């Protein structure tokens, strides 16, 4: 891969923070998404200060021009929603992601990457409980961490 399409330090930090425990296939998908976005973003000489809905539509058109199927573009959009939320919370992206993605469902369960200690707890639970019980605990933990995040609280 040439340096023009390499991920930035920021993108690598995001991947390590949110996908280090994910399967390799998931990490490949997020890298593909961010590499395509970075390629377009750099070619347009944009910054996150001036990124808005119209720019995202331009990006989607660029993906269409590159021959990406609708399903691939949907996957990219989902990954970018999470990435943009992270950028917005870090005060790097100045536009609220809900304005870029008007149909974005923030109240719906978005994939939450649980911290290591929560995953350790679930691992112990898997050895001692039924799968439905573990699933209930996992959902409760997700909701708890979403609540903490929405209220900008930490443990």
């Amino acid at each position: 891969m040439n340096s023009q399409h390499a991920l930035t330090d920021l993108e690598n930090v995001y991947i390590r923070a949110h996908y280090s425990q994910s399967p390799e296939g998931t990490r490949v998908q997020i890298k593909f998404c961010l590499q395509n976005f970075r390629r377009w973003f750099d070619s347009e000489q944009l910054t996150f200060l001036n990124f808005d809905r119209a720019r995202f539509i331009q990006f989607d058109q660029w993906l269409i021009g590159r021959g990406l199927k609708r399903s691939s573009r949907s996957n990219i959009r989902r990954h970018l929603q999470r990435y943009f939320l992270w950028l917005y919370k870090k005060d790097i992206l100045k536009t609220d992601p809900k304005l870029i993605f008007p149909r974005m469902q923030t109240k719906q369960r978005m994939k939450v990457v649980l911290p290591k200690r929560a995953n350790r707890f679930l691992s112990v639970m898997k050895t001692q409980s039924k799968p439905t019980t573990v699933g209930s605990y996992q959902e409760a933990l997700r909701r708890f961490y979403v609540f903490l995040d929405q209220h900008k609280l930490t443990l």
Side-chain angles (χ1 to χ4, degrees):
M1 176 187 322
N2 71 39
S3 62
Q4 181 182 23
H5 306 118
L7 296 175
T8 64
D9 289 341
L10 180 69
E11 293 154 347
N12 284 315
V13 166
Y14 171 73
I15 291 169
R16 276 192 306 277
H18 294 278
Y19 293 93
S20 64
Q21 303 291 319
S22 298
E24 179 64 25
T26 302
R27 288 193 307 272
V28 167
Q29 285 180 2
I30 189 65
K31 286 178 184 178
F32 173 78
C33 165
L34 293 177
Q35 286 167 339
N36 273 290
F37 179 72
R38 175 57 54 192
R39 183 180 306 147
W40 173 81
F41 191 79
D42 289 346
S43 73
E44 296 290 316
Q45 300 177 339
L46 297 175
T47 68
F48 286 112
L49 297 175
N50 61 359
F51 197 84
D52 58 12
R53 172 104 181 116
R55 293 292 189 178
F56 179 78
I57 291 169
Q58 289 174 350
F59 172 64
D60 193 50
Q61 292 301 312
W62 182 81
L63 292 172
I64 290 169
R66 296 187 56 81
L68 268 74
K69 295 182 210 172
R70 184 180 206 165
S71 60
S72 295
R73 293 188 345 263
S74 292
N75 284 336
I76 288 172
R77 183 174 43 257
R78 278 194 308 279
H79 284 302
L80 286 178
Q81 286 175 353
R82 289 185 211 111
Y83 179 56
F84 286 3
L85 276 171
W86 182 76
L87 291 172
Y88 185 67
K89 290 172 187 171
K90 297 265 183 207
D91 203 32
I92 296 167
L93 177 65
K94 301 304 178 188
T95 304
D96 187 334
K98 291 179 229 164
L99 299 174
I100 297 170
F101 305 100
R103 294 187 305 165
M104 184 173 159
Q105 300 294 317
T106 53
K107 290 189 179 192
Q108 205 175 29
R109 184 186 84 159
M110 291 190 67
K111 183 178 179 185
V112 175
V113 179
L114 295 173
K116 287 181 184 178
R117 63 180 162 209
N119 285 320
R120 280 194 306 266
F121 170 74
L122 290 171
S123 294
V124 170
M125 290 299 297
K126 285 178 185 176
T127 65
Q128 301 173 1
S129 303
K130 294 187 283 184
T132 54
T133 303
V134 174
S136 296
Y137 275 101
Q138 186 174 27
E139 183 59 28
L141 285 168
R142 281 190 181 117
R143 289 173 188 245
F144 176 68
Y145 282 99
V146 166
F147 172 84
L148 290 177
D149 194 51
Q150 288 173 341
H151 292 87
K152 302 194 183 317
L153 299 172
T154 58
L155 292 179

